[in-house]
Amino acid sequence: MRKTIVGVMGGCTADERTTENAREMGRLIAENGWVLLSGGRAFGVMQASVTGAHAAGGFTIGVLYDDDRDAGAQGLDIVIPTGMGAGRNVINVLSSDVVVACRGTGGTTSEIALALRFGRPVVLLDFNPGEAFLDSCSANPQYSLASTPAEAAEMVASYLKELGRG
């Protein structure tokens, strides 16, 4: 049976609260036995989520923006250098069973839009890009707003159960 993959998306730069949320989300993903997928960069939400999952003994995958495998976050088990720039966002989304989006900017909102467009459930962790945006991404967008990582993990589990993966 294939592993369940939860993608954690978010900004290259992140404030302390967002970084801590991402780290805690990574830990919860690992504790639930899910695989963490991120953009794999060595900073921001990406490094924080990998750090949390790795410290909890989880399995981590990084889909890199560029072609330098050595530029990946510390703690990645699998590094996938793409050389695709932001085009790798499609890989991030399509590889994930559920996407958790932490606060971010253009790259993060593009991943949210792609996830909703391709029918991936999205949990927005302490991040709300707006109902009009979210509803415009799909005829039937599946998303939830979570205030804490624990709440986000519960929502991920619920989506996975609906998908027959829980």
Side-chain angles (χ1 to χ4, degrees):
M1 178 182 220
R2 80 170 172 84
K3 302 280 186 184
T4 297
I5 299 175
V6 177
V8 175
M9 313 302 158
C12 292
T13 59
D15 62 27
E16 188 176 328
R17 183 169 91 190
T18 301
T19 300
E20 185 51 40
N21 280 342
R23 187 177 299 110
E24 178 67 6
M25 193 69 228
R27 182 185 69 78
L28 292 168
I29 287 169
E31 288 180 357
N32 278 284
W34 306 322
V35 173
L36 171 84
L37 179 140
S38 80
R41 288 180 162 181
F43 38 83
V45 166
M46 293 168 274
Q47 180 64 68
S49 63
V50 169
T51 297
H54 183 75
F59 193 83
T60 59
I61 302 170
V63 181
L64 301 182
Y65 187 91
D66 56 19
D67 63 354
D68 181 4
R69 117 178 20 255
D70 294 329
Q74 294 296 311
L76 285 171
D77 293 300
I78 295 181
V79 177
I80 303 172
T82 68
M84 296 176 64
R88 68 84 151 91
N89 293 355
V90 174
I91 296 168
N92 287 347
V93 165
L94 292 179
S95 299
S96 300
D97 293 296
V98 177
V99 170
V100 176
C102 298
R103 285 191 258 161
T105 56
T108 306
T109 55
S110 76
E111 287 164 323
I112 293 166
L114 287 165
L116 294 174
R117 162 69 177 85
F118 288 114
R120 298 302 190 272
V122 175
V123 176
L124 298 144
L125 175 52
D126 192 30
F127 180 54
N128 186 353
E131 190 174 329
F133 166 75
L134 295 165
D135 289 341
S136 72
C137 294
S138 170
N140 188 25
Q142 234 183 333
Y143 64 88
S144 304
L145 301 172
S147 300
T148 67
E151 187 179 14
E154 289 176 15
M155 291 172 180
V156 168
S158 178
Y159 282 130
L160 290 171
K161 187 173 181 181
E162 287 176 26
L163 295 168
R165 305 227 24 98

